[in-house]
């Protein structure tokens, strides 16, 4: 996992530094200036990031519910085994 996370982190930090210093125009990368919400690209970026955020929260909630269902099933199984041998 770290082999994927480190390059992604380095790229994110680099892009953040470039955006902070407004250097996208100097490098010919104006299209990466996604903070401008007046452009079509800025609006699309906002829509995609909002959708992605919603999906992450939804999937996390589902995983949390499955985890607790599993915990409840284990406790129920323990109780049934205890009742069977008691």
């Amino acid at each position: 996992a770290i082999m994927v996370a480190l390059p992604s982190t380095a790229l994110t930090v680099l892009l953040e530094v470039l955006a902070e210093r407004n250097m996208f125009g100097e490098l010919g990368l104006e299209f990466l200036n996604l903070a401008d919400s007046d452009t079509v690209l800025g609006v699309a970026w906002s829509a995609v990031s909002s959708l992605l955020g919603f999906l992450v929260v939804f999937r996390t909630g589902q995983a949390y519910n499955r985890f607790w269902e599993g915990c409840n099933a284990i406790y129920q199984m323990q109780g049934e085994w205890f009742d069977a041998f008691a």
Side-chain angles (χ1 to χ4, degrees):
I2 199 163
M3 297 302 288
V4 173
L6 283 178
S8 299
T9 303
L11 181 62
T12 301
V13 168
L14 174 69
L15 289 175
E16 187 64 32
V17 168
L18 290 175
E20 195 173 287
R21 295 181 183 175
N22 293 325
M23 294 182 66
F24 287 129
E26 295 174 14
L27 298 173
L29 301 171
E30 294 89 8
F31 65 93
L32 289 176
N33 192 6
L34 299 175
D36 187 14
S37 62
D38 294 338
T39 64
V40 174
L41 190 59
V43 171
W45 177 260
S46 296
V48 168
S49 61
S50 297
L51 179 65
L52 186 62
F54 174 75
L55 289 175
V56 167
V57 169
F58 180 73
R59 296 278 301 185
T60 304
Q62 281 187 326
Y64 182 77
N65 288 335
R66 281 195 306 264
F67 171 77
W68 281 111
E69 283 180 27
C71 288
N72 289 335
I74 287 174
Y75 285 124
Q76 183 180 2
M77 184 176 58
Q78 284 177 340
E80 289 177 7
W81 277 102
F82 181 76
D83 289 343
F85 287 101

